[in-house]
Amino acid sequence: MASPGIDTEQEPLLGDRTPGSREWDIIETEEHYKSRWISIRILYLTMFFSSVGFSIVIMSIWPYLQKIDQTADASFLGWVIASFSLGQMVASPVFGLWSNYRPRKEPLIVSIFISVVANCLYAYVHVPASHNKYYMLVARGLVGFGAASTDEVQFPQGDIDQVAVLATNVLFFVVLFIFALFETIVTPLTMDMYAWTREQAVLYDGIILAALGVEAILIFMGVKLLSKKIGDRAILLGGLIVVWVGFFILLPWGNQFPKIQWEELHNNSIPNTTFGEIIITLWKSPREDHNEGPTGCPIEQAWCFYTPMIHLAQFLTAATLIGVGYPTCNVTSYTLYSKVLGPKPQGVYMGWLTASGSAARILGPVFISQVYTSWGPRWAFSLVCGIVVLTIMLLGVVYRRLVPFSVRHGRIQE
């Protein structure tokens, strides 16, 4: 039998629509009901296409950046990825304010137009003769600007546990921060560790993320069933633990090291080979290898010489666990936040949550690209493990405060 604390976590977000309940008096016609669900399904489809496009681009950014500008390194990649969320965070309040005073279709049309122009710019950033990486930075920022939400801003309600609200925002920030950095580092990490070419990295990493997407769908369905038995807070705690285990497994161990990009050094030396051996080597070398450029861990990253490689099975295991923990924490933190806020308008508070998510997607890529390039995966993933531990401790401190609004005010239906 479930305990009273768990029962309170199972209260529907929109209340209990049974005869006699406070929600029963809300009248909704059949026409309004159908219209509302048409809008919801359109939003589902829009988010689906948006996510598909984002996933396609995120996997190809690093190879594309390397191809158009040889001066770009992994640390600059973090700024390119972060520029999307920065543009989104800047534009969201602008479009939100606009939609409050003008018809909502106006900012929507403008945002779609900006997205189309920005994506066209992104497709042709290879055309200029120089500074191509900065054109890509601007293009991704404009894409984020065009992807800004146009949700209506509403006035906040009182009597809300502000500590619980703040804590949930921090939890949500960490959850998105962790996945943003993982999503950012997947392509550079696999190219460095397994000497994959640009095409191989885009293909294989795309397959991995697609598998994680299917896994997330199953997790979402499982969380819904599991929350009825153990509650949202316990699921959130379990998801954070799974994420920590995933990043711990991702730490490099052993005495096998990644392949080093020696090609540039060899070009500056005189090999002790005959002319005939050179001709045979060039004849046997595949043409596409030269087009792809050197593969392996760049010599500019000093840690490549002393940091053990992350084995493929190790990486796939960690990715699977992170793919379990992230959607679990994501959907649960959203659910907890809505329950803490209660049934009244949540526009402003949801705006705060969106802002914290955008900040996470800005800082996560910048953090991981800088640490990974300078100190390598051991330091990078160790720091991530430390961040997750601190987050688990925060959840433990505010655990008893993360309860539904109606429970806090003693209005739970027995």
Side-chain angles (χ1 to χ4, degrees):
M1 181 177 179
S3 65
I6 295 177
D7 289 337
T8 61
E9 295 184 41
Q10 299 169 5
E11 184 188 13
L13 289 177
L14 297 180
D16 183 16
R17 290 182 173 272
T18 57
S21 66
R22 63 182 182 277
E23 289 82 10
W24 183 253
D25 295 331
I26 300 176
I27 299 175
E28 182 180 36
T29 64
E30 186 69 20
E31 182 181 356
H32 289 163
Y33 178 82
K34 292 181 179 179
S35 176
R36 178 164 59 86
W37 273 104
I38 290 174
S39 300
I40 290 174
R41 291 189 176 101
I42 292 175
L43 288 174
Y44 286 164
L45 186 63
T46 303
M47 288 301 298
F48 172 78
F49 285 126
S50 177
S51 299
V52 168
F54 185 82
S55 299
I56 292 173
V57 172
I58 202 72
M59 281 294 94
S60 60
I61 280 183
W62 178 230
Y64 190 29
L65 182 60
Q66 287 182 310
K67 188 172 183 178
I68 65 171
D69 197 325
Q70 299 296 326
T71 64
D73 56 11
S75 61
F76 191 82
L77 171 67
W79 291 105
V80 172
I81 295 178
S83 64
F84 175 90
S85 296
L86 181 60
Q88 191 177 42
M89 187 171 67
V90 170
S92 291
V94 175
F95 285 137
L97 187 63
W98 188 354
S99 64
N100 280 350
Y101 295 98
R102 297 289 300 170
R104 294 180 182 177
K105 63 181 180 181
E106 289 184 5
L108 181 61
I109 292 173
V110 171
S111 65
I112 293 175
F113 176 76
I114 293 175
S115 295
V116 171
V117 173
N119 279 289
C120 291
L121 174 61
Y122 179 78
Y124 288 96
V125 292
H126 64 281
V127 174
S130 61
H131 306 299
N132 303 76
K133 64 182 182 181
Y134 297 108
Y135 289 111
M136 179 181 282
L137 184 71
V138 173
R140 289 300 296 166
L142 289 175
V143 171
F145 195 94
S149 172
T150 57
D151 294 336
E152 182 178 355
V153 178
Q154 301 169 346
F155 292 102
Q157 71 270 29
D159 300 325
I160 293 178
D161 188 346
Q162 299 296 337
V163 174
V165 169
L166 178 60
T168 311
N169 272 274
V170 173
L171 293 171
F172 186 72
F173 171 87
V174 174
V175 170
L176 263 68
F177 177 87
I178 289 171
F179 189 75
L181 65 85
F182 177 73
E183 199 175 41
T184 300
I185 208 60
V186 163
T187 303
L189 178 68
T190 52
M191 291 179 68
D192 291 348
M193 292 293 160
Y194 315 122
W196 287 351
T197 63
R198 295 166 186 163
E199 280 77 8
Q200 287 175 324
V202 172
L203 175 61
Y204 299 153
D205 292 334
I207 293 174
I208 291 172
L209 280 191
L212 295 183
V214 175
E215 181 185 36
I217 294 175
L218 300 176
I219 294 299
F220 287 144
M221 293 187 294
V223 166
K224 181 179 179 180
L225 299 175
L226 191 60
S227 63
K228 297 178 180 179
K229 296 183 178 180
I230 65 174
D232 298 317
R233 295 175 297 179
I235 293 177
L236 179 58
L237 177 60
L240 289 171
I241 293 174
V242 172
V243 168
W244 182 88
V245 173
F247 277 100
F248 183 79
I249 292 176
L250 206 52
L251 293 174
W253 305 100
N255 53 11
Q256 186 176 352
F257 299 91
K259 173 190 172 184
I260 306 296
Q261 288 185 13
W262 290 110
E263 283 79 357
E264 293 184 3
L265 290 183
H266 289 169
N267 290 338
N268 297 328
S269 61
I270 301 177
N272 188 21
T273 56
T274 64
F275 178 77
E277 290 173 335
I278 295 176
I279 296 298
I280 293 174
T281 301
L282 293 175
W283 179 263
K284 290 183 177 180
S285 299
R287 184 181 183 89
E288 53 268 21
D289 286 345
H290 296 290
N291 295 334
E292 278 296 329
T295 59
C297 205
I299 59 173
E300 293 83 6
Q301 298 175 165
W303 57 264
C304 294
F305 294 95
Y306 58 81
T307 301
M309 72 174 295
I310 299 171
H311 297 280
L312 184 58
Q314 182 182 358
F315 171 75
L316 293 177
T317 302
T320 302
L321 290 174
I322 295 170
V324 171
Y326 167 70
T328 301
C329 296
N330 193 337
V331 67
T332 308
S333 56
Y334 262 122
T335 304
L336 278 173
Y337 194 66
S338 295
K339 289 183 177 181
V340 168
L341 295 179
K344 296 183 180 180
Q346 302 177 357
V348 171
Y349 284 96
M350 283 300 176
W352 293 355
L353 194 69
T354 302
S356 65
S358 297
R361 291 192 296 269
I362 293 170
L363 297 177
V366 174
F367 166 84
I368 195 65
S369 60
Q370 298 292 331
V371 176
Y372 176 83
T373 303
S374 302
W375 299 330
R378 177 171 287 172
W379 268 102
F381 299 141
S382 295
L383 290 174
V384 173
C385 287
I387 292 173
V388 177
V389 169
L390 293 176
T391 306
I392 293 174
M393 294 172 62
L394 171 64
L395 177 58
V397 171
V398 299
Y399 194 87
R400 294 183 178 275
R401 306 191 69 148
L402 299 180
V403 294
F405 180 88
S406 58
V407 175
R408 181 170 179 266
H409 292 275
R411 294 199 297 263
I412 185 69
Q413 298 285 338
E414 294 294 341

